[in-house]
Amino acid sequence: NKRYAVAIDGPSGAGKSTLAKAAAAELGILYVDTGAIYRTIGLYACRREADPHDLAAIITLLPDIQVSMAYGEDGLQRMLLNGEDVTDVIRRPEISRWASVVSAIPEVRAFLLEMQRELARSHSVVMDGRDIGTVVLPQAEVKIFLTASPEIRAQRRMKELEQRGTPQPYNQVLSDILQRDWADSHRETAPLRQAEDALLLDTSHLDFDQSREALLHMIKERI
Ligand code: C5P
Protein backbone atom coordinates (compact mmCIF):
# COMPACT_ATOMS: atom_id res chain seq x y z
CA ASN A 1 0.00 0.00 0.00
CA LYS A 2 1.79 3.02 -1.30
CA ARG A 3 1.36 6.32 0.53
CA TYR A 4 -0.51 8.97 -1.44
CA ALA A 5 -1.83 12.50 -1.09
CA VAL A 6 -5.02 14.12 -2.28
CA ALA A 7 -4.79 17.93 -2.42
CA ILE A 8 -8.08 19.81 -2.40
CA ASP A 9 -8.02 23.57 -2.88
CA GLY A 10 -10.71 26.13 -3.45
CA PRO A 11 -12.42 29.23 -2.09
CA SER A 12 -14.20 29.40 1.25
CA GLY A 13 -17.63 27.86 1.47
CA ALA A 14 -17.20 25.50 -1.49
CA GLY A 15 -17.76 22.56 0.86
CA LYS A 16 -14.12 21.54 0.88
CA SER A 17 -13.89 20.44 4.48
CA THR A 18 -17.13 18.44 4.60
CA LEU A 19 -16.34 16.71 1.32
CA ALA A 20 -12.67 16.15 2.07
CA LYS A 21 -13.57 14.69 5.45
CA ALA A 22 -16.09 12.32 3.84
CA ALA A 23 -13.58 11.27 1.17
CA ALA A 24 -10.86 10.61 3.74
CA ALA A 25 -13.25 8.49 5.82
CA GLU A 26 -14.22 6.47 2.75
CA LEU A 27 -10.57 5.98 1.75
CA GLY A 28 -9.53 5.24 5.34
CA ILE A 29 -6.81 7.90 5.36
CA LEU A 30 -6.05 11.04 7.38
CA TYR A 31 -7.97 14.26 6.80
CA VAL A 32 -5.98 17.45 7.29
CA ASP A 33 -7.82 20.78 7.42
CA THR A 34 -5.11 23.40 6.88
CA GLY A 35 -7.55 26.32 7.22
CA ALA A 36 -7.88 25.33 10.88
CA ILE A 37 -4.13 25.85 11.32
CA TYR A 38 -4.32 29.42 9.94
CA ARG A 39 -7.40 30.02 12.08
CA THR A 40 -5.44 28.98 15.16
CA ILE A 41 -2.73 31.55 14.42
CA GLY A 42 -5.51 34.09 13.72
CA LEU A 43 -7.09 33.32 17.08
CA TYR A 44 -3.81 33.96 18.86
CA ALA A 45 -3.34 37.31 17.09
CA CYS A 46 -6.93 38.25 17.93
CA ARG A 47 -6.53 37.36 21.61
CA ARG A 48 -3.33 39.38 21.81
CA GLU A 49 -5.33 42.29 20.36
CA ALA A 50 -2.89 42.63 17.48
CA ASP A 51 -3.42 45.36 14.91
CA PRO A 52 -4.48 43.59 11.68
CA HIS A 53 -2.60 46.21 9.68
CA ASP A 54 0.65 45.83 11.58
CA LEU A 55 1.99 42.65 10.01
CA ALA A 56 5.47 43.09 11.48
CA ALA A 57 3.98 43.03 14.99
CA ILE A 58 2.05 39.84 14.15
CA ILE A 59 5.28 38.18 13.02
CA THR A 60 6.87 38.90 16.40
CA LEU A 61 4.12 36.81 18.04
CA LEU A 62 5.08 33.62 16.18
CA PRO A 63 7.75 32.39 18.62
CA ASP A 64 5.09 32.39 21.38
CA ILE A 65 2.79 30.12 19.42
CA GLN A 66 2.77 26.37 19.56
CA VAL A 67 0.23 24.91 17.18
CA SER A 68 -0.43 21.22 17.17
CA MET A 69 -3.02 18.81 15.97
CA ALA A 70 -4.53 15.82 17.64
CA TYR A 71 -6.94 13.25 16.32
CA GLY A 72 -9.88 12.32 18.53
CA GLU A 73 -11.40 8.87 18.85
CA ASP A 74 -13.89 9.93 16.17
CA GLY A 75 -10.89 10.39 13.85
CA LEU A 76 -11.56 14.11 13.62
CA GLN A 77 -8.87 16.75 13.79
CA ARG A 78 -8.62 18.88 16.92
CA MET A 79 -6.53 22.04 17.03
CA LEU A 80 -4.37 22.86 20.01
CA LEU A 81 -3.02 26.34 20.68
CA ASN A 82 -0.30 26.22 23.33
CA GLY A 83 -1.95 23.09 24.62
CA GLU A 84 -5.51 24.47 24.74
CA ASP A 85 -8.17 22.82 22.56
CA VAL A 86 -9.45 25.64 20.32
CA THR A 87 -11.26 23.47 17.74
CA ASP A 88 -14.63 25.15 18.24
CA VAL A 89 -13.70 28.77 18.90
CA ILE A 90 -11.66 29.07 15.68
CA ARG A 91 -14.92 28.68 13.69
CA ARG A 92 -16.22 32.09 14.73
CA PRO A 93 -16.64 34.60 11.85
CA GLU A 94 -14.20 37.13 13.32
CA ILE A 95 -11.57 34.39 13.42
CA SER A 96 -12.22 33.67 9.73
CA ARG A 97 -11.27 37.26 9.04
CA TRP A 98 -8.20 36.99 11.27
CA ALA A 99 -7.17 33.79 9.50
CA SER A 100 -7.32 35.62 6.20
CA VAL A 101 -5.14 38.44 7.61
CA VAL A 102 -2.44 36.20 9.08
CA SER A 103 -2.41 33.85 6.09
CA ALA A 104 -1.25 36.66 3.80
CA ILE A 105 1.99 37.01 5.81
CA PRO A 106 4.85 35.05 4.18
CA GLU A 107 6.52 34.40 7.57
CA VAL A 108 3.30 32.82 8.85
CA ARG A 109 3.07 30.57 5.80
CA ALA A 110 6.70 29.55 6.14
CA PHE A 111 6.15 28.86 9.85
CA LEU A 112 3.39 26.35 8.97
CA LEU A 113 4.74 24.79 5.79
CA GLU A 114 6.91 22.09 7.32
CA MET A 115 4.18 20.97 9.71
CA GLN A 116 1.85 20.35 6.76
CA ARG A 117 4.48 18.55 4.68
CA GLU A 118 5.47 16.34 7.59
CA LEU A 119 1.89 15.11 7.95
CA ALA A 120 1.88 14.05 4.31
CA ARG A 121 5.26 12.35 4.65
CA SER A 122 4.09 10.20 7.51
CA HIS A 123 0.53 9.41 6.36
CA SER A 124 -1.66 9.11 3.30
CA VAL A 125 -3.75 12.27 3.46
CA VAL A 126 -6.62 14.22 2.06
CA MET A 127 -5.44 17.77 2.73
CA ASP A 128 -7.59 20.79 2.05
CA GLY A 129 -6.66 24.47 1.83
CA ARG A 130 -5.80 27.15 -0.70
CA ASP A 131 -2.26 26.28 -1.82
CA ILE A 132 -1.97 22.55 -1.20
CA GLY A 133 -1.69 21.52 -4.87
CA THR A 134 0.41 24.54 -5.81
CA VAL A 135 2.83 24.98 -2.87
CA VAL A 136 2.50 22.55 0.02
CA LEU A 137 2.24 19.25 -1.89
CA PRO A 138 3.06 19.98 -5.54
CA GLN A 139 3.76 16.24 -6.01
CA ALA A 140 0.33 15.15 -4.74
CA GLU A 141 -1.03 12.15 -6.64
CA VAL A 142 -4.47 13.77 -6.97
CA LYS A 143 -5.23 17.50 -7.10
CA ILE A 144 -8.72 18.87 -7.10
CA PHE A 145 -9.91 22.44 -7.31
CA LEU A 146 -13.29 22.53 -5.65
CA THR A 147 -15.52 25.52 -6.21
CA ALA A 148 -19.10 26.82 -6.43
CA SER A 149 -20.60 30.21 -7.25
CA PRO A 150 -20.26 32.89 -4.52
CA GLU A 151 -24.05 33.05 -4.06
CA ILE A 152 -24.37 29.32 -3.51
CA ARG A 153 -21.40 29.33 -1.16
CA ALA A 154 -22.99 32.18 0.82
CA GLN A 155 -26.24 30.22 1.17
CA ARG A 156 -24.39 27.15 2.39
CA ARG A 157 -22.29 29.18 4.83
CA MET A 158 -25.46 30.83 6.19
CA LYS A 159 -26.94 27.43 7.01
CA GLU A 160 -23.74 26.33 8.67
CA LEU A 161 -23.57 29.50 10.81
CA GLU A 162 -27.22 29.02 11.77
CA GLN A 163 -26.53 25.47 12.89
CA ARG A 164 -23.60 26.67 14.95
CA GLY A 165 -25.91 29.15 16.68
CA THR A 166 -24.20 32.21 15.18
CA PRO A 167 -26.59 33.25 12.39
CA GLN A 168 -25.68 36.14 10.09
CA PRO A 169 -27.68 37.91 7.34
CA TYR A 170 -27.16 36.75 3.73
CA ASN A 171 -25.66 40.04 2.57
CA GLN A 172 -23.09 40.00 5.34
CA VAL A 173 -22.11 36.40 4.60
CA LEU A 174 -21.87 37.06 0.84
CA SER A 175 -19.78 40.18 1.28
CA ASP A 176 -17.44 38.33 3.70
CA ILE A 177 -17.04 35.56 1.13
CA LEU A 178 -16.30 37.96 -1.72
CA GLN A 179 -13.83 39.86 0.41
CA ARG A 180 -12.01 36.68 1.48
CA ASP A 181 -11.99 35.35 -2.11
CA TRP A 182 -10.40 38.56 -3.25
CA ALA A 183 -7.82 38.64 -0.46
CA ASP A 184 -6.96 34.93 -0.82
CA SER A 185 -6.48 35.12 -4.58
CA HIS A 186 -4.65 38.46 -4.72
CA ARG A 187 -2.05 38.02 -2.01
CA GLU A 188 1.54 37.72 -3.17
CA THR A 189 2.50 34.58 -1.29
CA ALA A 190 0.76 31.35 -2.26
CA PRO A 191 -2.43 32.92 -3.67
CA LEU A 192 -5.50 30.77 -4.20
CA ARG A 193 -5.38 29.42 -7.73
CA GLN A 194 -6.06 26.20 -9.55
CA ALA A 195 -2.87 24.19 -10.13
CA GLU A 196 -2.32 23.43 -13.81
CA ASP A 197 -2.69 19.71 -13.19
CA ALA A 198 -5.71 20.02 -10.88
CA LEU A 199 -9.13 18.71 -11.83
CA LEU A 200 -11.98 21.19 -11.51
CA LEU A 201 -15.04 20.19 -9.51
CA ASP A 202 -17.84 22.79 -9.48
CA THR A 203 -20.50 21.84 -6.94
CA SER A 204 -22.89 24.75 -7.64
CA HIS A 205 -25.52 22.40 -9.03
CA LEU A 206 -24.70 19.28 -7.04
CA ASP A 207 -26.05 18.25 -3.66
CA PHE A 208 -23.80 16.76 -1.01
CA ASP A 209 -24.12 13.11 -2.11
CA GLN A 210 -23.54 13.98 -5.75
CA SER A 211 -20.49 16.09 -4.87
CA ARG A 212 -19.11 13.30 -2.70
CA GLU A 213 -19.58 10.73 -5.45
CA ALA A 214 -17.95 12.99 -8.05
CA LEU A 215 -15.00 13.64 -5.75
CA LEU A 216 -14.46 9.98 -4.89
CA HIS A 217 -14.70 9.05 -8.55
CA MET A 218 -11.98 11.58 -9.43
CA ILE A 219 -9.75 10.28 -6.65
CA LYS A 220 -10.23 6.57 -7.24
CA GLU A 221 -9.47 6.93 -10.93
CA ARG A 222 -6.03 8.26 -10.06
CA ILE A 223 -4.81 6.21 -7.14
O1 C5P B 1 -10.61 27.03 4.87
P1 C5P B 1 -10.87 28.07 5.91
O2 C5P B 1 -11.99 28.98 5.61
O3 C5P B 1 -10.98 27.48 7.30
O4 C5P B 1 -9.53 28.95 5.95
C1 C5P B 1 -9.46 30.15 6.68
C2 C5P B 1 -8.49 31.10 5.97
O5 C5P B 1 -7.18 30.59 6.06
C3 C5P B 1 -8.74 31.30 4.49
O6 C5P B 1 -9.62 32.35 4.18
C4 C5P B 1 -7.37 31.60 3.94
O7 C5P B 1 -7.08 32.96 4.05
C5 C5P B 1 -6.44 30.88 4.89
N1 C5P B 1 -5.86 29.66 4.34
C6 C5P B 1 -4.73 29.75 3.56
N2 C5P B 1 -4.12 28.63 3.09
C7 C5P B 1 -4.60 27.42 3.36
C8 C5P B 1 -5.79 27.28 4.14
C9 C5P B 1 -6.39 28.43 4.61
O8 C5P B 1 -4.27 30.85 3.29
N3 C5P B 1 -3.96 26.34 2.92
Side-chain angles (χ1 to χ4, degrees):
N1 284 0
K2 206 178 150 281
R3 207 162 276 156
Y4 64 94
V6 179
I8 302 184
D9 292 304
S12 48
K16 282 191 311 292
S17 53
T18 322
L19 286 166
K21 204 181 290 174
E26 165 77 18
L27 298 163
I29 64 177
L30 196 67
Y31 165 59
V32 183
D33 169 4
T34 64
I37 311 178
Y38 288 94
R39 286 170 180 272
T40 301
I41 306 283
L43 174 67
Y44 188 82
C46 173
R47 284 181 172 173
R48 292 288 300 266
E49 296 179 23
D51 172 355
H53 302 288
D54 187 353
L55 304 186
I58 295 174
I59 294 167
T60 65
L61 300 176
L62 291 176
D64 304 333
I65 305 180
Q66 227 205 327
V67 191
S68 53
M69 282 164 44
Y71 284 84
E73 276 176 29
D74 50 8
L76 294 183
Q77 170 183 326
R78 318 255 351 142
M79 289 310 306
L80 303 176
L81 170 58
N82 295 334
E84 173 194 348
D85 189 326
V86 295
T87 310
D88 297 321
V89 34
I90 57 172
R91 294 295 145 193
R92 305 229 301 248
E94 71 268 28
I95 305 306
S96 304
R97 290 191 281 273
W98 268 105
S100 200
V101 168
V102 301
S103 72
I105 306 173
E107 285 80 355
V108 170
R109 305 200 73 86
F111 180 72
L112 299 175
L113 187 60
E114 189 47 32
M115 169 182 187
Q116 299 169 74
R117 287 190 175 155
E118 177 52 33
L119 282 162
R121 269 197 294 273
S122 46
H123 306 81
S124 285
V125 293
V126 176
M127 191 175 284
D128 86 27
R130 302 292 187 288
D131 62 336
I132 309 306
T134 51
V135 175
V136 179
L137 304 176
Q139 312 296 342
E141 280 71 11
V142 189
K143 296 184 187 179
I144 290 158
F145 194 80
L146 192 76
T147 191
S149 73
E151 292 74 20
I152 300 251
R153 289 188 278 130
Q155 286 168 15
R156 291 177 185 163
R157 184 65 102 194
M158 252 180 82
K159 272 197 200 146
E160 188 188 324
L161 289 168
E162 249 169 54
Q163 283 163 2
R164 285 183 198 282
T166 51
Q168 298 230 329
Y170 176 77
N171 285 336
Q172 173 71 49
V173 176
L174 179 62
S175 92
D176 270 8
I177 280 190
L178 292 173
Q179 208 176 329
R180 274 215 282 159
D181 280 3
W182 198 91
D184 290 350
S185 47
H186 286 79
R187 66 180 177 224
E188 265 180 45
T189 314
L192 170 66
R193 65 175 181 84
Q194 183 177 350
E196 270 170 32
D197 50 352
L199 304 161
L200 180 67
L201 177 54
D202 185 331
T203 66
S204 299
H205 304 292
L206 303 179
D207 67 20
F208 175 75
D209 286 334
Q210 292 168 329
S211 306
R212 179 177 169 280
E213 285 316 305
L215 177 61
L216 279 167
H217 182 76
M218 285 176 163
I219 298 171
K220 285 178 175 169
E221 262 195 335
R222 281 163 188 84
I223 55 171

mmCIF file of all heavy atoms in Angstrom, residues 53-75:
data_model
loop_
_atom_site.group_PDB
_atom_site.id
_atom_site.type_symbol
_atom_site.label_atom_id
_atom_site.label_comp_id
_atom_site.label_asym_id
_atom_site.label_seq_id
_atom_site.Cartn_x
_atom_site.Cartn_y
_atom_site.Cartn_z
ATOM 1 N N HIS A 53 -3.378 45.540 10.731
ATOM 2 C CA HIS A 53 -2.598 46.209 9.679
ATOM 3 C C HIS A 53 -1.104 46.193 9.977
ATOM 4 O O HIS A 53 -0.297 46.541 9.117
ATOM 5 C CB HIS A 53 -3.081 47.651 9.487
ATOM 6 C CG HIS A 53 -4.537 47.706 9.131
ATOM 7 N ND1 HIS A 53 -5.003 47.320 7.895
ATOM 8 C CD2 HIS A 53 -5.614 48.023 9.867
ATOM 9 C CE1 HIS A 53 -6.319 47.423 7.891
ATOM 10 N NE2 HIS A 53 -6.719 47.847 9.073
ATOM 11 N N ASP A 54 -0.754 45.822 11.192
ATOM 12 C CA ASP A 54 0.655 45.831 11.575
ATOM 13 C C ASP A 54 1.220 44.407 11.470
ATOM 14 O O ASP A 54 1.330 43.672 12.451
ATOM 15 C CB ASP A 54 0.787 46.374 13.008
ATOM 16 C CG ASP A 54 2.253 46.568 13.417
ATOM 17 O OD1 ASP A 54 3.154 46.152 12.645
ATOM 18 O OD2 ASP A 54 2.475 47.128 14.510
ATOM 19 N N LEU A 55 1.568 44.030 10.256
ATOM 20 C CA LEU A 55 1.991 42.655 10.011
ATOM 21 C C LEU A 55 3.298 42.328 10.719
ATOM 22 O O LEU A 55 3.495 41.220 11.200
ATOM 23 C CB LEU A 55 2.090 42.399 8.503
ATOM 24 C CG LEU A 55 0.795 42.697 7.724
ATOM 25 C CD1 LEU A 55 0.951 42.274 6.268
ATOM 26 C CD2 LEU A 55 -0.429 42.040 8.341
ATOM 27 N N ALA A 56 4.186 43.324 10.810
ATOM 28 C CA ALA A 56 5.471 43.093 11.479
ATOM 29 C C ALA A 56 5.240 42.701 12.940
ATOM 30 O O ALA A 56 5.916 41.818 13.481
ATOM 31 C CB ALA A 56 6.340 44.345 11.387
ATOM 32 N N ALA A 57 4.271 43.338 13.583
ATOM 33 C CA ALA A 57 3.977 43.025 14.989
ATOM 34 C C ALA A 57 3.405 41.608 15.100
ATOM 35 O O ALA A 57 3.699 40.889 16.056
ATOM 36 C CB ALA A 57 3.000 44.043 15.564
ATOM 37 N N ILE A 58 2.615 41.205 14.113
ATOM 38 C CA ILE A 58 2.048 39.844 14.146
ATOM 39 C C ILE A 58 3.171 38.811 14.032
ATOM 40 O O ILE A 58 3.171 37.796 14.722
ATOM 41 C CB ILE A 58 0.981 39.670 13.045
ATOM 42 C CG1 ILE A 58 -0.220 40.595 13.331
ATOM 43 C CG2 ILE A 58 0.525 38.204 12.952
ATOM 44 C CD1 ILE A 58 -1.281 40.622 12.250
ATOM 45 N N ILE A 59 4.159 39.111 13.186
ATOM 46 C CA ILE A 59 5.281 38.178 13.017
ATOM 47 C C ILE A 59 6.029 37.967 14.337
ATOM 48 O O ILE A 59 6.456 36.850 14.650
ATOM 49 C CB ILE A 59 6.244 38.697 11.916
ATOM 50 C CG1 ILE A 59 5.530 38.670 10.560
ATOM 51 C CG2 ILE A 59 7.523 37.861 11.867
ATOM 52 C CD1 ILE A 59 6.247 39.424 9.466
ATOM 53 N N THR A 60 6.131 39.038 15.135
ATOM 54 C CA THR A 60 6.872 38.903 16.402
ATOM 55 C C THR A 60 6.137 37.993 17.392
ATOM 56 O O THR A 60 6.728 37.547 18.380
ATOM 57 C CB THR A 60 7.127 40.269 17.085
ATOM 58 O OG1 THR A 60 5.859 40.816 17.468
ATOM 59 C CG2 THR A 60 7.858 41.232 16.169
ATOM 60 N N LEU A 61 4.864 37.706 17.137
ATOM 61 C CA LEU A 61 4.123 36.809 18.041
ATOM 62 C C LEU A 61 4.440 35.329 17.782
ATOM 63 O O LEU A 61 4.241 34.484 18.659
ATOM 64 C CB LEU A 61 2.606 36.995 17.856
ATOM 65 C CG LEU A 61 2.009 38.379 18.126
ATOM 66 C CD1 LEU A 61 0.514 38.371 17.793
ATOM 67 C CD2 LEU A 61 2.231 38.777 19.583
ATOM 68 N N LEU A 62 4.933 35.031 16.573
ATOM 69 C CA LEU A 62 5.076 33.619 16.184
ATOM 70 C C LEU A 62 5.865 32.746 17.174
ATOM 71 O O LEU A 62 5.441 31.629 17.458
ATOM 72 C CB LEU A 62 5.671 33.503 14.768
ATOM 73 C CG LEU A 62 4.739 33.970 13.634
ATOM 74 C CD1 LEU A 62 5.459 33.904 12.290
ATOM 75 C CD2 LEU A 62 3.462 33.132 13.610
ATOM 76 N N PRO A 63 6.997 33.253 17.708
ATOM 77 C CA PRO A 63 7.753 32.387 18.622
ATOM 78 C C PRO A 63 6.961 31.978 19.870
ATOM 79 O O PRO A 63 7.298 30.991 20.525
ATOM 80 C CB PRO A 63 8.963 33.249 19.015
ATOM 81 C CG PRO A 63 9.082 34.263 17.928
ATOM 82 C CD PRO A 63 7.703 34.520 17.424
ATOM 83 N N ASP A 64 5.892 32.727 20.194
ATOM 84 C CA ASP A 64 5.093 32.393 21.385
ATOM 85 C C ASP A 64 4.013 31.357 21.078
ATOM 86 O O ASP A 64 3.255 30.975 21.963
ATOM 87 C CB ASP A 64 4.376 33.644 21.926
ATOM 88 C CG ASP A 64 5.334 34.778 22.227
ATOM 89 O OD1 ASP A 64 6.507 34.469 22.523
ATOM 90 O OD2 ASP A 64 4.917 35.951 22.144
ATOM 91 N N ILE A 65 3.910 30.987 19.800
ATOM 92 C CA ILE A 65 2.791 30.123 19.417
ATOM 93 C C ILE A 65 3.241 28.696 19.187
ATOM 94 O O ILE A 65 4.166 28.436 18.412
ATOM 95 C CB ILE A 65 2.137 30.630 18.109
ATOM 96 C CG1 ILE A 65 1.728 32.094 18.258
ATOM 97 C CG2 ILE A 65 0.928 29.761 17.746
ATOM 98 C CD1 ILE A 65 1.065 32.678 17.022
ATOM 99 N N GLN A 66 2.558 27.781 19.850
ATOM 100 C CA GLN A 66 2.770 26.372 19.559
ATOM 101 C C GLN A 66 1.458 25.810 19.057
ATOM 102 O O GLN A 66 0.469 25.737 19.795
ATOM 103 C CB GLN A 66 3.217 25.652 20.826
ATOM 104 C CG GLN A 66 4.400 24.752 20.577
ATOM 105 C CD GLN A 66 4.456 23.645 21.587
ATOM 106 O OE1 GLN A 66 4.064 23.818 22.741
ATOM 107 N NE2 GLN A 66 4.920 22.492 21.151
ATOM 108 N N VAL A 67 1.439 25.467 17.770
ATOM 109 C CA VAL A 67 0.228 24.906 17.179
ATOM 110 C C VAL A 67 0.436 23.421 17.046
ATOM 111 O O VAL A 67 1.460 22.976 16.545
ATOM 112 C CB VAL A 67 0.016 25.411 15.738
ATOM 113 C CG1 VAL A 67 -1.384 25.037 15.246
ATOM 114 C CG2 VAL A 67 0.239 26.878 15.621
ATOM 115 N N SER A 68 -0.541 22.641 17.458
ATOM 116 C CA SER A 68 -0.431 21.220 17.171
ATOM 117 C C SER A 68 -1.801 20.638 16.892
ATOM 118 O O SER A 68 -2.830 21.278 17.140
ATOM 119 C CB SER A 68 0.286 20.480 18.296
ATOM 120 O OG SER A 68 -0.340 20.764 19.515
ATOM 121 N N MET A 69 -1.775 19.470 16.326
ATOM 122 C CA MET A 69 -3.018 18.811 15.971
ATOM 123 C C MET A 69 -3.101 17.490 16.679
ATOM 124 O O MET A 69 -2.098 16.834 16.911
ATOM 125 C CB MET A 69 -3.050 18.574 14.474
ATOM 126 C CG MET A 69 -3.392 19.857 13.752
ATOM 127 S SD MET A 69 -3.013 19.806 12.035
ATOM 128 C CE MET A 69 -3.601 18.246 11.628
ATOM 129 N N ALA A 70 -4.323 17.124 17.018
ATOM 130 C CA ALA A 70 -4.533 15.817 17.638
ATOM 131 C C ALA A 70 -5.734 15.212 16.939
ATOM 132 O O ALA A 70 -6.570 15.942 16.396
ATOM 133 C CB ALA A 70 -4.806 15.995 19.118
ATOM 134 N N TYR A 71 -5.775 13.896 16.924
ATOM 135 C CA TYR A 71 -6.936 13.250 16.320
ATOM 136 C C TYR A 71 -7.726 12.544 17.408
ATOM 137 O O TYR A 71 -7.181 11.750 18.160
ATOM 138 C CB TYR A 71 -6.494 12.308 15.198
ATOM 139 C CG TYR A 71 -6.115 13.119 13.972
ATOM 140 C CD1 TYR A 71 -4.845 13.662 13.844
ATOM 141 C CD2 TYR A 71 -7.066 13.423 13.010
ATOM 142 C CE1 TYR A 71 -4.516 14.462 12.761
ATOM 143 C CE2 TYR A 71 -6.742 14.224 11.927
ATOM 144 C CZ TYR A 71 -5.471 14.739 11.796
ATOM 145 O OH TYR A 71 -5.159 15.539 10.746
ATOM 146 N N GLY A 72 -9.017 12.909 17.502
ATOM 147 C CA GLY A 72 -9.880 12.324 18.527
ATOM 148 C C GLY A 72 -10.246 10.896 18.173
ATOM 149 O O GLY A 72 -9.891 10.395 17.107
ATOM 150 N N GLU A 73 -10.997 10.251 19.095
ATOM 151 C CA GLU A 73 -11.403 8.866 18.845
ATOM 152 C C GLU A 73 -12.312 8.772 17.633
ATOM 153 O O GLU A 73 -12.386 7.739 16.973
ATOM 154 C CB GLU A 73 -12.125 8.302 20.076
ATOM 155 C CG GLU A 73 -11.155 7.765 21.112
ATOM 156 C CD GLU A 73 -11.876 7.300 22.364
ATOM 157 O OE1 GLU A 73 -13.042 6.888 22.256
ATOM 158 O OE2 GLU A 73 -11.250 7.360 23.441
ATOM 159 N N ASP A 74 -13.013 9.884 17.343
ATOM 160 C CA ASP A 74 -13.890 9.931 16.171
ATOM 161 C C ASP A 74 -13.073 10.130 14.891
ATOM 162 O O ASP A 74 -13.626 10.209 13.798
ATOM 163 C CB ASP A 74 -14.907 11.066 16.320
ATOM 164 C CG ASP A 74 -14.243 12.398 16.688
ATOM 165 O OD1 ASP A 74 -12.990 12.475 16.675
ATOM 166 O OD2 ASP A 74 -14.967 13.362 16.968
ATOM 167 N N GLY A 75 -11.747 10.216 15.022
ATOM 168 C CA GLY A 75 -10.891 10.389 13.854
ATOM 169 C C GLY A 75 -10.841 11.824 13.368
ATOM 170 O O GLY A 75 -10.206 12.135 12.374
#
